[in-house]
Amino acid sequence: MRILVYIILSVLTAQQVKSKDYTFQMGTDGAFTVWINNVKVIDHTKEKPFLYAGRGTTDFKEDRGNFDIRDYVLQRLDLKLISRTEPTDGDDLTMAFDNTSSPLVVKLRSEEGHSLTIDISDIGNAGFDRVWIRIAADKDEEVYGGGEQFSYLNLRGRPYPIWTREQGVGRNQSTLVTFMANQMHHSGGDYHTTYFPQPTFYSRKKYYFHHGSSNYAVLDFSREDAHEVFILGQPGRIYLNGGNSFTDLVQKLTTLLGRMPELPNWVYDGAIIGIQGGSQKMAEYIDYCDKYKINLAGVWIQDWAGTRRTSFGKRLFWNWRWNHTLYPGLNETILTLKERGIKVLAYINPYLNQEGDIFKIADERGYFMKNKAGQTFIKDFGEFHCGTIDLTNPEAYEWYKNEVVKRNMIDLGLGGWMADFGEYLPIDGYFYNNKSARMVHNEFPVLWAKLNREAVEETGNLGKIVYWMRAGYSGTGNYSTLMWAGDQDVDFTYADGLASTIPSALNMGLSGVGITHFDIGGYTTFAPKLVRSAELLLRSAEAAVFGPVFRSHEGNQPTANVQFYSSPEVSMKYARLSNMFTMLKNYSVHVVKTTADTGIPAQRPLFMQFQDDPGSYESTYQFMYGDDLLVAPVFKSGVTTWNVYLPNDTVANAKWVNIWNPEEMYEGPVNVPVAAPLGKTPVFYRSTSMYADIFKQIGSKPLIVVPTDTPHPIPTGSMNFIAASIITCLLASLMCIIFSWV
């Protein structure tokens, strides 16, 4: 009996004691190191502490979603280890500048499935308003992630502010476009400006770091011996996790942050064309696609709620209900097109135009963000003024979800929508939950994603409706069905053109949000100099073929840009690409299901799959689409050959087959120059792939698709982009860029 009782008590005691998944090593004179998965992540000494605390002021100046953030440090103290206690489940470190200073208690644990979690006691009680945390680093260590970072895949060598905002126009301080945008509304952007920042990074040493709160923060990778993370205000929990592979790490991260669902099956059935102009124009564009054999999955009419004319051009009327004048009979049209397998998609954001009837209802009920006087915060969006729905107010949240999204959009029969914005929240707003705007700012796009997700799920439409977002933060992937890369310039530039869509997708995927796409042809237009060419449209469409969604946008100056309907030659080539996308359906469904099940992104950097191949870490502008397709998009103008790196595939023991010429096979690792004429961006597949027959069929498609009968004329809404450029006023063009909210 005594033996039995002893065994039971021993088992119960063992269950209560949590093991440590990190190693703490005490040194001399207060030094210590912390290791996870045999990787040193903390290296604390008196001369180089891992934790600093201080005081200062931070100024946020906002202009239509663009933020100028200035931080002034008044005090920065290096904290020394005063004492250490060892509870059974971790380590408690008392740290202070000296024995007379107010200490901070740092709790090291292994919580929530993570090797190491770090919790810091109330810094305000100790007289601080900020901390700096240093993670041990090697001189040549590479880091990735940070949310959706457009300019670089390897983030090392630069600081990255974590603050959702407009990505900017040009995003390169050395260019004329960025300079001119900065003169108007500080909207040029820089290498770090992004709609979707996230305080997460991966190390090539196979661990990740994540900060679990919405504070303004800076991931600073400019030091050789440490990665320094600045956090303004009380820090949330710090998470560090190690793994044997990058796929292992991303699965662990998405277990914490959540995973995206599978896309609706109809998304893979063809192109989603972005058009506008009313019911008649919509019918013309659909008929045009029929004649040119452009497979259609959907028609995206962003002006479904109507438009307003301003001095800067035509803008959407932000009153989110069907405009019967512009789109008469839309409800019947939706049903008719649904029978043909074509969905109708729309647009919404969390702002309401002061002139609309929906605004008046929300204003009467007190559902908007407030100003200092407790009144509705009215924001100028460019000759029209709007209120921002306070998504921290439960009544406002439920009303917008039920009466606007469900009733006005889902009940209409829409197949999806762009759920735009989320990043514009000003710093001087006041909210129902009494949180500071500084803390709500990064949370807001997550709440916006959550609202849309609940509307879809509660009506039984998850897996039927798709909505896509550009703004985000930690947790967005748990709610959004699809992301998109925002407003790229209609050019080939690295910082803000076609090239930037590649590292943005790869960094976002590493950050746990693995289903994304971009506007085919880009968006931001600045006639007469910055206009979309046929080459750019088709090169970007080539890249979009090997992704989960094939969606076009006319851009902010449609008549200045080449469109898929601008000429018969462009239309026939575009048709071929849309058909190739459709042919990939079975493969794409498999790829996206893997992302939904595991968190492993659909489009992933080569090193995620071939981590033991050194060359894979240098291939910034190539990616794997699923396990079997290696894609190297052409993102420069006027080229017909392209260099491709093919890694050593020791996993599948496969050769790499050129999708356009199956007789061209290689064993990696090898750099190869390949032919890349327009319409044939370099793509290789694994010789052992179970989808090889599909890839062969795609590679055999002719470069154009011949239309049926005599095609209809180009839709009346289009003009030759050169003629349009001549009549476009330079100043008005720039302002259209600044007000690039469609």
Side-chain angles (χ1 to χ4, degrees), residues 547-569:
V549 176
F550 193 87
R551 181 185 59 81
S552 66
H553 198 311
E554 292 180 313
N556 61 306
Q557 294 181 29
T559 58
N561 288 325
V562 170
Q563 309 289 353
F564 73 85
Y565 50 76
S566 289
S567 71
E569 181 182 6

Side-chain angles (χ1 to χ4, degrees), residues 1-2 17 53 57 109 115 120 187 201 237 244 255 296 331 376 409 437 520 523-525 578 637 647 661 681 686 712:
M1 184 65 180
R2 290 180 180 178
V17 176
T57 60
R109 299 290 189 274
S115 303
I120 300 174
S187 59
F201 68 84
R237 171 167 282 183
N244 297 321
T255 298
L296 282 186
N331 55 340
T376 294
M409 303 184 78
I520 292 175
Y523 173 83
T524 305
T525 310
S578 73
S637 177
N661 182 9
T681 207
R686 281 170 148 175
H712 280 204

